[in-house]
C-alpha cells in the first residue's frame, strides 16, 4: 500500500490528508481541467489548422506566394499581443465562467468564416481578430490553475493543460489528412475548407459546457457541485502557501508600482520571451514545410509525419511536469536545460544538410522537447508570484505578451517560407536562442534564491527582535515585582 501511495503521489501530486480535501481536489480536477483542456484543445486546433491547410491546398487555391504564410502567423500574433493583458485583466472584473466561453464562441465563429475566404487578405483580417479572442486562454488558464492548486499539485496540472493544446495540434494534422481523403471536393468545397468548418463545429459545444460548469476562482465560486465547506476549504488551503492573498478587483496605480518595483515581472517576462521562441520548430510547422519543399511526399504524408514531433512534445511535457512536482524542491529549471540541449542537438542535425533523411526525421521529432518548458515556466512563475494574486495575473500575461512581441517578427526574419527546406539561418538562430534560454533560466533561479534568503533573514531578524522584546518585558516585570 505504501508503494502504491508513492506511485500515486509521483503521478498525481501530493495526496490531501482529509477526505473532504481529496473530494474537493477530485471535483476541481474534473470540472476545471476538463473545460480548460477542452478549451485549449480547440484553441490550438483552430490555430494550427492554417499550418495544415497551407500544405494541403490553401496555398495554391488562394494564390499565395513569398512570405504570405508567415504574414498570416505574424498578423495572428499581433492580435494575440493586443488582446493579451486586457483579456487577463478582464478576469479580475468579469466572471471567468462568462469570459472564457464568450471568447471561445467568438473564435469559433471566426473559424467558420475562414472556410469561406476567397483571398489571403481576408485571412489576414480574420486571423487578427482570432488572435485577440484566443489570447484569453493560455495565461488566463494558468492564472486559474494558480488560484486553485498548491505548488505540489500545480506542475502536473499545468503539464496536462499544455498537453491538451499540443493534442489539438496533433489532432489538427490527423484531421486534415482524413478530411482531405474523404471530403475534398464534397459540395464543391476543398478539403482545407472543410477542416475549418469541422473545427468550428467542435468548438461551440465546448463553450456551452464552460458556461454551465466552470467554477470561476475560489473567492467567487458559486458552483452548485461544491458545498459551502468545500468553497471555504478551496480558499483556506492556499493561504498556507501565501503570505497575502489578493482577491478580484479593479487594477490600481499601486499595482503598477508594486509590479515594477520587483524583479519578478522583468525576469519572468525575459525568460519566456526568449524560451518561447524555442517552440519555432512546431509553431512554424518547419517539418511540414521541409517535406513539401523537398518533394516526394503525398498531402496525407505531409499532414501525418509532423505529428510525431507533437506526440513527443506531449510525452516530454507530461513527464517533465510530473518529475518537477515529485521533487522536494519543486525545481523547474532542469526542464529548461533539457529543452535547450535537445533543440541544440536537433538544430545541428538539420544544419548538416548531407546527413541522411532518417537523421532529419529524428531531429525534428527530438525538437518536440521544445514544448516541455512551456508548462514548467508558467508553473514556476505561479510559484514565484504566489503571494500576490494581482501581480501574478499581470506577470503571467506579460510573459506570454513579450514572447508574442518577439514572435510577431521572429519567423519573418529567421523562418521565412522561402527558406524551406533548409532554414539555415533559422537553425543558427535556434542554437543562439537555446543558449540565451540557459542564461535567462540561471538569472531567474538566482533571483528567486536571493529573494528567499532575504525573506528568511528578515523573518529571523523579526523573530529575534520579538524574542528580545519579550525578554525585556519579563525583565521589566521582575524588576517591578522586586520593588
Amino acid at each position: 500500500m505504501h508503494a502504491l501511495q508513492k506511485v500515486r503521489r509521483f503521478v498525481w501530486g501530493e495526496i490531501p490528508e482529509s477526505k473532504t480535501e481529496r473530494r474537493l481536489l477530485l471535483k476541481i480536477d474534473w470540472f476545471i481541467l476538463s473545460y480548460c483542456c477542452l478549451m485549449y484543445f480547440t484553441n490550438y486546433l483552430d490555430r494550427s489548422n492554417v499550418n495544415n491547410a497551407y500544405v494541403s491546398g490553401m496555398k495554391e487555391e488562394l494564390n499565395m506566394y513569398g512570405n504570405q504564410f508567415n504574414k498570416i502567423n505574424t498578423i495572428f500574433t499581433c492580435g494575440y499581443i493586443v488582446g493579451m493583458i486586457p483579456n487577463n485583466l478582464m478576469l479580475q472584473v468579469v466572471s471567468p465562467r462568462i469570459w472564457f466561453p464568450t471568447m471561445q464562441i467568438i473564435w469559433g465563429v471566426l473559424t467558420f468564416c475562414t472556410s469561406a475566404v476567397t483571398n489571403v487578405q481576408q485571412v489576414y483580417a480574420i486571423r487578427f481578430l482570432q488572435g485577440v479572442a484566443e489570447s484569453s486562454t493560455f495565461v488566463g488558464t494558468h492564472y486559474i490553475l494558480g488560484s486553485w492548486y498548491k505548488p505540489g499539485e500545480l506542475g502536473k496540472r499545468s503539464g496536462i493543460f499544455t498537453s491538451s493544446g499540443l493534442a489539438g495540434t496533433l489532432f489538427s494534422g490527423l484531421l486534415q489528412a482524413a478530411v482531405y481523403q474523404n471530403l475534398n471536393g464534397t459540395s464543391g468545397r476543398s478539403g482545407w475548407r472543410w477542416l475549418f468548418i469541422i473545427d468550428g463545429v467542435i468548438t461551440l459545444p465546448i463553450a456551452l459546457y464552460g458556461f454551465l460548469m466552470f467554477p470561476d476562482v475560489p473567492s467567487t465560486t458559486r458552483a452548485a457541485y461544491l458545498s459551502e465547506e468545500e468553497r471555504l476549504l478551496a480558499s483556506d488551503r492556499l493561504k498556507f502557501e501565501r503570505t497575502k492573498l489578493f482577491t478580484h478587483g479593479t487594477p490600481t496605480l499601486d499595482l503598477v508600482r508594486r509590479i515594477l518595483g520587483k524583479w519578478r515581472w522583468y525576469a519572468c517576462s525575459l525568460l519566456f520571451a526568449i524560451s518561447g521562441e524555442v517552440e519555432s520548430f512546431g509553431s512554424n510547422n518547419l517539418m511540414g514545410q521541409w517535406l513539401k519543399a523537398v518533394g516526394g511526399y503525398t498531402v496525407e504524408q505531409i499532414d501525418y509525419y509532423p505529428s510525431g514531433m507533437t506526440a513527443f512534445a506531449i510525452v516530454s511535457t507530461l513527464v517533465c511536469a510530473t518529475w518537477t512536482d515529485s521533487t522536494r524542491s519543486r525545481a523547474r529549471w532542469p526542464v529548461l536545460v533539457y529543452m535547450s540541449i535537445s533543440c541544440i542537438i536537433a538544430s545541428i542535425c538539420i544544419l548538416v544538410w548531407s546527413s541522411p533523411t532518417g537523421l532529419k526525421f529524428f531531429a525534428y521529432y527530438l525538437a518536440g522537447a521544445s514544448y516541455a518548458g512551456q508548462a514548467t515556466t508558467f508553473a514556476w512563475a505561479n510559484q514565484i508570484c504566489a503571494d500576490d494574486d494581482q501581480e501574478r495575473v499581470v506577470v503571467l500575461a506579460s510573459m506570454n505578451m513579450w514572447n508574442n512581441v518577439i514572435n510577431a517578427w521572429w519567423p519573418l526574419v529567421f523562418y521565412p517560407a522561402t527558406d524551406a527546406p533548409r532554414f539555415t539561418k533559422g537553425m543558427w538562430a535556434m542554437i543562439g536562442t537555446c543558449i540565451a534560454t540557459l542564461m535567462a533560466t540561471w538569472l531567474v533561479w538566482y533571483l528567486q534564491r536571493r529573494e528567499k534568503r532575504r525573506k528568511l533573514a528578515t523573518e529571523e531578524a523579526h523573530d529575534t527582535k520579538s524574542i528580545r522584546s519579550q525578554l525585556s518585558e519579563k525583565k521589566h516585570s521582575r524588576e517591578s515585582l522586586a520593588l
Side-chain angles (χ1 to χ4, degrees):
M1 182 63 71
H2 182 65
L4 185 62
Q5 285 184 335
K6 276 189 172 181
V7 172
R8 182 182 173 187
R9 185 176 289 109
F10 177 78
V11 173
W12 205 238
E14 295 175 350
I15 303 172
E17 294 181 3
S18 70
K19 184 178 179 181
T20 303
E21 189 171 357
R22 287 197 296 271
R23 185 171 62 246
L24 169 66
L25 192 59
L26 180 64
K27 287 182 180 180
I28 60 179
D29 274 344
W30 176 255
F31 289 105
I32 291 177
L33 284 181
S34 64
Y35 175 64
C36 286
C37 288
L38 286 170
M39 176 174 60
Y40 199 43
F41 172 84
T42 61
N43 185 295
Y44 257 76
L45 183 66
D46 295 349
R47 187 187 308 188
S48 302
N49 51 23
V50 166
N51 293 337
N52 292 299
Y54 176 76
V55 296
S56 302
M58 184 174 77
K59 175 184 177 182
E60 291 77 13
E61 193 167 333
L62 298 186
N63 298 313
M64 294 173 61
Y65 60 89
N67 293 331
Q68 288 184 328
F69 168 70
N70 300 97
K71 289 179 182 178
I72 290 175
N73 290 332
T74 294
I75 289 170
F76 173 89
T77 301
C78 290
Y80 205 88
I81 294 167
V82 168
M84 186 76 58
I85 290 181
N87 265 313
N88 227 30
L89 289 176
M90 284 301 294
L91 295 177
Q92 298 280 307
V93 181
V94 179
S95 164
R97 182 178 62 84
I98 302 299
W99 192 254
F100 279 152
T102 300
M103 292 298 101
Q104 193 175 10
I105 288 173
I106 290 172
W107 87 59
V109 171
L110 289 168
T111 301
F112 279 124
C113 294
T114 314
S115 70
V117 296
T118 57
N119 56 63
V120 72
Q121 287 73 26
Q122 293 171 352
V123 180
Y124 290 159
I126 291 171
R127 293 301 280 183
F128 177 83
L129 297 174
Q130 203 158 5
V132 173
E134 290 191 26
S135 64
S136 63
T137 304
F138 182 74
V139 289
T141 298
H142 278 290
Y143 165 70
I144 295 294
L145 294 178
S147 300
W148 284 94
Y149 292 109
K150 296 178 180 178
E153 303 162 348
L154 189 57
K156 292 177 179 65
R157 275 73 179 185
S158 296
I160 292 170
F161 167 68
T162 301
S163 296
S164 67
L166 294 171
T169 302
L170 177 66
F171 185 67
S172 180
L174 300 176
L175 180 62
Q176 176 62 74
V179 166
Y180 188 86
Q181 284 179 327
N182 299 291
L183 290 178
N184 189 38
T186 302
S187 300
R189 291 181 180 273
S190 304
W192 66 268
R193 294 184 184 274
W194 278 109
L195 177 66
F196 290 106
I197 294 173
I198 293 172
D199 288 350
V201 169
I202 293 172
T203 300
L204 297 183
I206 295 172
L208 178 61
Y209 173 66
F211 278 124
L212 297 174
M213 305 305 296
F214 196 68
D216 292 324
V217 294
S219 59
T220 62
T221 184
R222 294 293 182 267
Y225 48 81
L226 294 178
S227 66
E228 186 62 30
E229 180 185 12
E230 288 169 338
R231 292 189 191 111
L232 293 173
L233 178 60
S235 293
D236 291 342
R237 76 192 201 101
L238 289 186
K239 288 181 180 178
F240 295 106
E241 310 291 341
R242 301 179 180 186
T243 55
K244 58 179 179 177
L245 182 66
F246 288 85
T247 57
H248 277 39
T250 304
T252 62
L253 187 59
D254 176 63
L255 171 64
V256 177
R257 294 195 192 101
R258 203 162 66 234
I259 292 171
L260 297 183
K262 298 178 184 178
W263 64 269
R264 299 169 174 181
W265 181 81
Y266 303 98
C268 290
S269 295
L270 175 67
L271 177 60
F272 196 64
I274 296 171
S275 66
E277 290 310 319
V278 178
E279 298 173 10
S280 294
F281 277 107
S283 61
N284 294 288
N285 194 22
L286 299 187
M287 187 175 184
Q289 292 190 64
W290 165 61
L291 293 171
K292 188 177 180 69
V294 296
Y297 297 93
T298 66
V299 170
E300 291 86 348
Q301 287 173 327
I302 294 172
D303 286 324
Y304 278 134
Y305 288 163
S307 300
M309 181 173 69
T310 309
F312 186 68
I314 293 172
V315 173
S316 292
T317 297
L318 292 175
V319 170
C320 289
T322 299
W323 179 80
T324 57
D325 268 3
S326 65
T327 58
R328 187 181 299 274
S329 63
R330 311 278 184 247
R332 312 291 181 184
W333 63 266
V335 178
L336 291 162
V337 174
Y338 155 72
M339 175 189 77
S340 299
I341 292 174
S342 296
C343 290
I344 288 174
I345 294 171
S347 300
I348 293 171
C349 291
I350 295 169
L351 277 172
V352 182
W353 194 248
S354 59
S355 62
T357 300
L359 183 60
K360 291 186 177 66
F361 267 84
F362 165 78
Y364 275 114
Y365 289 164
L366 179 63
S370 61
Y371 285 95
Q374 189 182 102
T376 298
T377 304
F378 279 83
W380 196 3
N382 261 313
Q383 281 180 243
I384 290 170
C385 303
D387 59 351
D388 190 330
D389 236 17
Q390 289 185 320
E391 180 188 28
R392 185 164 58 89
V393 75
V394 175
V395 168
L396 293 174
S398 296
M399 287 168 65
N400 210 21
M401 182 193 72
W402 286 116
N403 170 245
N404 280 279
V405 166
I406 294 176
N407 202 40
W409 54 268
W410 194 263
L412 287 170
V413 175
F414 295 110
Y415 304 100
T418 50
D419 278 7
R422 298 184 68 162
F423 296 107
T424 301
K425 63 174 176 282
M427 293 304 105
W428 283 112
M430 181 63 68
I431 293 172
T433 302
C434 291
I435 294 171
T437 295
L438 293 173
M439 295 170 64
T441 300
W442 177 85
L443 178 64
V444 175
W445 171 82
Y446 168 77
L447 291 172
Q448 185 184 23
R449 285 194 66 189
R450 187 184 69 174
E451 182 180 74
K452 285 182 177 179
R453 286 198 301 268
R454 288 180 175 178
K455 184 178 179 182
L456 184 61
T458 301
E459 290 175 350
E460 288 176 350
H462 181 269
D463 291 342
T464 301
K465 184 178 179 181
S466 178
I467 292 171
R468 286 176 179 172
S469 177
Q470 291 175 10
L471 291 173
S472 176
E473 288 178 4
K474 287 180 180 179
K475 182 180 179 181
H476 181 71
S477 297
R478 284 198 300 269
E479 290 174 351
S480 297
L481 289 172
L483 291 173

